[in-house]
Amino acid sequence: MAERVSKDVGAATAALDYDAELMLRVKDGDGASFAILLEKHRSPVIHFLYRMVQNQAIAEELAQEVFLRVYRSRGTYEPTAKFTTWLFRIATHLALNSLRDGKNERTQERLDEHTDDMPVRQLPDSKPSVEQAMLYQAKFREVRQAIAALPEKQRAAVLMHKYEEMEYSQIARVLNCSESAVKSLLFRAYESLRARLAHMA
Amino acid sequence: MNCPLGTRDQAELLVAYSSHKLDRGQAAVLEEHIAGCAPCREFVRAQQAVWDALDVWEAEPVSADFDRRLYRRIDAQVTWWDRLMRPLQPLMFHKNVSLAAAAGLVLALGLVLNQTAAPPQRPAAKSGQVADMEGLQPDQVVKALDEMEALSRFNRLMKPETPESKM
């Protein structure tokens, strides 16, 4: 199988990642390769979408759509870019559409109310004091609000840069813009965050 | 070097430095400047504080039934063509075989349609007679419609969607 895949891909795509090879196997009808891709990218995609739309249920619904589209597109897949670039392009597109459609319009209300869906954090001390817990809650809430306040494209750029540790070039390909545009987006985004979170320093 | 805060491009370098994304060479040059520039020092300190603050936001665990739900949706989308071809999967390994099978099926469907759509041999209409549309039997019409529907579904299947077009 590996031999055939490499023949198909050719020299031009020889430097591409293992994920792209897996996707080519999915194209050939190998369901196990799809399972490997899902296992590897499930969490990063859902976490990215969660931070974009700030609602876990919507994030998982969108992630289902992302992987469904990956599966449906297997027949026409060509490894012209890194697999993750293609994957996050689909994810970003769906997240931006969802935000524009107002599917998660409750998000802002929820942010203003309370943080019921706040993850349980393992603090170093097994029994965090009330003060520690309150401090963490306050920080968590402020960070969420600060990121939610960013324009959508800046938000996507920051999330890919900070949490997915993507290079400028990859973010540029996901957002379909130039690298210098990404640097500019990030600069403005981090400046906004600095203004909002200055007191946390 | 000139103070990075003087120009936007250079200030972007400071942001990259604060997020630990600069290579060693660039970082060393900047550090030399920052050591003697109070505004840059303050800028970097504030940006690093933002970078660290963002670590507070941990993602939530994924639902345990995420994969199950996804596979159920995938399974629901399996077409009659896929189900038909599943037993032949080992034979369909090569794209050419798949294309040949599809072409064969199209040809066969075309022949069937051609035969069934051909009007039955009827005596030549006498002059002045109106075309006899009611001469068609209802089951012939139903059959022809079914076949057209099948051909239409097949055409849709033969035009796979592209990721770009879905985006």
Side-chain angles (χ1 to χ4, degrees):
Chain A
M1 171 66 83
E3 254 183 53
R4 203 173 74 75
V5 166
S6 61
K7 269 184 197 169
D8 286 346
V9 175
T13 53
L16 279 171
D17 53 341
Y18 178 59
D19 291 341
E21 283 191 28
L22 286 172
M23 192 58 206
L24 286 170
R25 291 179 196 181
V26 176
K27 185 178 182 175
D28 283 337
D30 181 8
S33 292
F34 182 77
I36 296 171
L37 284 171
L38 177 61
E39 179 65 29
K40 188 173 173 186
H41 298 290
R42 184 199 307 110
S43 293
V45 167
I46 295 175
H47 293 166
F48 169 74
L49 288 166
Y50 164 64
R51 289 181 175 117
M52 275 299 285
V53 301
Q54 306 215 353
N55 179 306
Q56 183 71 10
I58 292 173
E60 289 200 9
E61 188 56 33
L62 292 174
Q64 294 255 326
E65 187 60 29
V66 170
F67 286 106
L68 208 53
R69 286 191 183 195
V70 166
Y71 187 79
R72 282 201 307 234
S73 306
R74 68 196 183 285
T76 53
Y77 176 75
E78 292 298 336
T80 51
K82 273 184 83 170
F83 175 79
T84 47
T85 303
W86 180 54
L87 188 68
F88 274 85
R89 207 169 176 182
I90 299 173
T92 304
H93 175 77
L94 288 171
L96 294 180
N97 274 356
S98 171
L99 289 167
R100 283 166 198 163
D101 290 351
K103 276 183 189 169
N104 58 330
E105 56 197 8
R106 290 186 307 116
T107 302
Q108 198 55 48
E109 293 165 26
R110 289 175 50 181
L111 283 173
D112 293 340
E113 287 164 9
H114 48 79
T115 52
D116 277 351
D117 55 346
M118 187 176 68
V120 180
R121 192 181 194 199
Q122 298 299 313
L123 292 171
D125 187 351
S126 57
K127 285 186 180 175
S129 65
V130 176
E131 288 80 12
Q132 277 179 307
M134 284 176 68
L135 187 65
Y136 170 68
Q137 281 182 17
K139 278 185 173 181
F140 173 78
R141 188 184 157 108
E142 284 190 51
V143 166
R144 274 183 70 165
Q145 284 177 331
I147 288 187
L150 292 174
E152 293 157 1
K153 220 168 172 181
Q154 285 185 28
R155 196 187 314 171
V158 165
L159 297 181
M160 283 185 270
H161 184 245
K162 166 66 185 171
Y163 297 106
E164 308 308 323
E165 299 182 353
M166 284 188 190
E167 301 293 330
Y168 293 131
S169 57
Q170 197 179 2
I171 299 172
R173 293 196 76 166
V174 171
L175 296 178
N176 202 20
C177 60
S178 67
E179 254 186 77
S180 58
V182 167
K183 285 179 186 172
S184 179
L185 272 178
L186 286 171
F187 180 79
R188 281 181 276 137
Y190 283 121
E191 276 294 272
S192 302
L193 291 174
R194 183 167 67 100
R196 287 186 72 109
L197 302 174
H199 59 283
M200 286 172 68
Chain B
M1 76 181 291
N2 293 329
C3 181
L5 288 176
T7 63
R8 176 66 167 269
D9 284 355
Q10 295 295 308
E12 286 170 8
L13 264 184
L14 278 179
V15 170
Y17 173 77
S18 309
S19 49
H20 318 291
K21 303 274 178 168
L22 281 190
D23 62 50
R24 275 187 196 172
Q26 285 179 305
V29 173
L30 264 183
E31 277 164 3
E32 199 177 321
H33 170 81
I34 291 166
C37 179
C40 280
R41 228 175 13 252
E42 174 53 26
F43 183 91
V44 167
R45 189 200 59 78
Q47 281 297 343
Q48 283 179 341
V50 168
W51 187 258
D52 294 340
L54 295 181
D55 286 334
V56 169
W57 194 3
E58 292 175 353
E60 294 186 39
V62 178
S63 301
D65 67 339
F66 181 85
D67 288 9
R68 189 177 51 79
R69 283 187 287 137
L70 177 65
Y71 282 119
R72 202 167 52 202
R73 287 179 70 177
I74 285 175
D75 206 43
Q77 295 211 338
V78 174
T79 60
W80 64 267
W81 170 258
D82 290 332
R83 289 182 207 281
L84 191 70
M85 290 296 132
R86 199 171 280 168
L88 302 174
Q89 202 72 38
L91 296 175
M92 306 292 280
F93 194 75
H94 293 290
K95 226 183 265 180
N96 290 343
V97 177
S98 174
L99 285 173
L105 194 63
V106 169
L107 206 60
L109 269 172
L111 283 171
V112 169
L113 278 178
N114 191 35
Q115 278 187 348
T116 52
Q121 293 293 325
R122 298 169 61 133
K126 289 176 187 169
S127 59
Q129 247 183 345
V130 193
D132 186 12
M133 294 300 286
E134 292 162 6
L136 280 172
Q137 295 302 310
D139 57 339
Q140 281 180 297
V141 175
V142 170
K143 194 175 176 188
L145 286 173
D146 284 345
E147 283 162 351
M148 282 172 68
E149 172 69 14
L151 189 60
S152 163
R153 277 204 306 267
F154 181 75
N155 281 338
R156 281 199 300 272
L157 279 167
M158 285 298 100
K159 289 182 202 164
E161 56 200 341
T162 61
E164 298 300 327
S165 67
K166 296 298 290 179
M167 289 177 64

